[in-house]
Amino acid sequence: MKTMYTAILIVIAQIAHSQTPQGHYEGALTRDGSVQLISFDFAIDKTTYDIPEIGYWDVTTEKIALRKDTLNLKIFYGDFSCFLDSKTGDLTGISKDMNPKIRIHLKKTAAKKKSFSEEEIKFSNADVSLAGVLFKPKKSEKPIPYVILVHRSGWEDRNTPWYHSLAYSLASKGIGVLLYDKRGTGKSTGNFSSADFNVLADDAVSAFNYIKERKDLNYTKIGFIGASQGGWITPLAANKVSNCGFAILIVGPAVSLYEQDVNRVQYTLTDEGYSKHSIDSALHYSGLFFKYIQSNHTKDWEALKAYASKIKDKKWIDNLDIPQSQIGDDILWWRKNRYDPKEALNNIKCPVLSILGEKDVLVPPAENKIKMETYLKNAGVDYKIVIVKNCGHDMITKGELNGTDWNWPYTYWQWQKQPQEFFNSIFEFINK
């Protein structure tokens, strides 16, 4: 009976998937005449897509569901309703929420073969088991560099689009990549929210040692790439290993955690157009917040609570950390991570590439470039600092009109994109 039930489920699944696209499709997104290329790989177990212009490669769709004759997809640009033409095989669709609408048109074509293989791996740091993927370029008879990707804050695993795409791009260019699930995500055990920066750095060190212990990997050097919070953790990891090949810090702060959060508040509210009075008020709150974090005095807590009550109805309140209790998880996290990268950067021994975004409101170049340069000069290492124009924290430009209204062809939509300078800087630095 159990065998028959399983067989019925398989038949049902096959019928459902027979009504959805299968295979490789290529086409474009259009918005009032402006075009951006996109491709999909539809399979029974997983559907992925590429948007080369924004640096997205082999990204798993956030949602895919078939309802009657409508295929619902969720990708970088939101939700789409799509239809498969049974006569031509074309897939067409339209965005649900955008105005003007984004349209999509795809045609089935031959799939392109990857120039690398992917191997499931496991390694450990103390009692925590870490799982991930090793991207191994093909035709690598000569030794090649390998890189370990170090995570940003929050939940990050092998399928996080930004990191997965970077791994894909590097492996396609002949660089080996180890991308692991952060502790407590994917197939890794542990809890990232209770781990401090040194523990997270030790996870990256374990990945470094795993590559070194693999006798079948023919590597020239091993280095780290860390973005955002990973840019704080990467120098710690690089200083914990011997013979680190390089450290690449993508929007990695040169200021302390406390300073970075104050910068975040100031530059975010400025970018959103708030008045100087509002910004000063928010910064005053941040000052009270960090005063309490550092002192743990009841009088400082009372002052913080009083000011929080005073500004509770302000529109910009969501940009601030408002603790619910004196010993809440957020308070404990800040106390556990009273980190300043000055010492780690002053003492780093490997070449360093620092990439900043010109329009980054979380790690603004004005607050970080000079400090980064000073520390790396003190370290006496080869270094390069690159500021990518028009990019924010995600290293992607903002989508916008090149004018004031929709007036094709004189005014048109400029799609978001990842400047080629970003990836080229990384690739050239590793291979230097």
Side-chain angles (χ1 to χ4, degrees), residues 35-107:
V35 177
Q36 188 169 69
L37 299 180
I38 187 171
S39 63
F40 280 84
D41 284 283
F42 294 94
I44 291 176
D45 59 335
K46 184 171 73 170
T47 294
T48 61
Y49 66 96
D50 301 338
I51 307 179
E53 200 170 17
I54 63 170
Y56 263 38
W57 297 96
D58 196 39
V59 173
T60 303
T61 51
E62 295 181 49
K63 180 180 70 178
I64 179 168
L66 180 69
R67 293 188 180 88
K68 295 183 179 180
D69 65 340
T70 305
L71 182 67
N72 295 297
L73 292 170
K74 187 173 184 181
I75 60 171
F76 179 82
Y77 290 112
D79 289 291
F80 286 77
S81 296
C82 302
F83 305 91
L84 182 65
D85 189 322
S86 59
K87 294 180 180 179
T88 66
D90 287 13
L91 186 70
T92 57
I94 194 165
S95 62
K96 294 182 179 180
D97 305 315
M98 295 284 193
N99 187 31
K101 296 292 186 185
I102 297 178
R103 290 172 169 78
I104 188 169
H105 190 175
L106 302 165
K107 295 177 180 290

Side-chain angles (χ1 to χ4, degrees), residues 147-329:
V147 61
I148 295 148
L149 300 186
V150 184
H151 302 287
R152 301 171 297 187
S153 61
W155 177 288
E156 299 249 296
D157 64 10
R158 70 189 74 185
N159 293 317
T160 300
W162 196 89
Y163 267 126
H164 184 86
S165 297
L166 182 56
Y168 187 103
S169 297
L170 289 168
S172 297
K173 287 286 191 179
I175 296 172
V177 182
L178 192 157
L179 173 58
Y180 61 97
D181 302 328
K182 183 192 285 190
R183 57 168 55 212
T185 75
K187 296 180 181 179
S188 292
T189 64
N191 184 345
F192 67 82
S193 62
S194 62
D196 63 23
F197 283 8
N198 267 300
V199 170
L200 295 175
D202 287 340
D203 288 346
V205 169
S206 296
F208 186 97
N209 291 333
Y210 172 84
I211 294 176
K212 286 187 72 174
E213 291 166 4
R214 285 280 297 259
K215 304 302 182 185
D216 59 317
L217 298 180
N218 192 11
Y219 61 86
T220 56
K221 55 188 172 183
I222 309 169
F224 299 96
I225 295 180
S228 192
Q229 186 185 98
W232 269 317
I233 296 168
T234 288
L236 289 172
N239 290 346
K240 287 172 179 277
V241 302
S242 59
N243 299 320
C244 181
F246 54 88
I248 298 176
L249 319 177
I250 302 171
V251 293
V255 299
S256 70
L257 251 75
Y258 294 0
E259 289 175 280
Q260 186 273 327
D261 198 64
V262 171
N263 292 338
R264 174 190 64 81
V265 172
Q266 177 183 349
Y267 282 84
T268 299
L269 296 189
T270 300
D271 186 63
E272 293 176 0
Y274 284 101
S275 67
K276 183 178 184 301
H277 176 75
S278 294
I279 295 169
D280 288 344
S281 182
L283 292 176
H284 179 68
Y285 172 84
S286 292
L288 293 174
F289 178 77
F290 287 116
K291 184 179 181 182
Y292 170 65
I293 293 292
Q294 292 172 302
S295 73
N296 198 20
H297 291 158
T298 301
K299 66 174 184 178
D300 293 330
W301 169 252
E302 295 300 329
L304 179 65
K305 272 204 315 180
Y307 201 77
S309 178
K310 182 179 177 181
I311 61 174
K312 65 180 180 180
D313 296 324
K314 301 296 183 182
K315 291 182 180 180
W316 39 263
I317 191 72
D318 289 342
N319 288 288
L320 304 178
D321 192 336
I322 310 294
Q324 300 303 308
S325 72
Q326 286 182 259
I327 53 171
D329 289 342

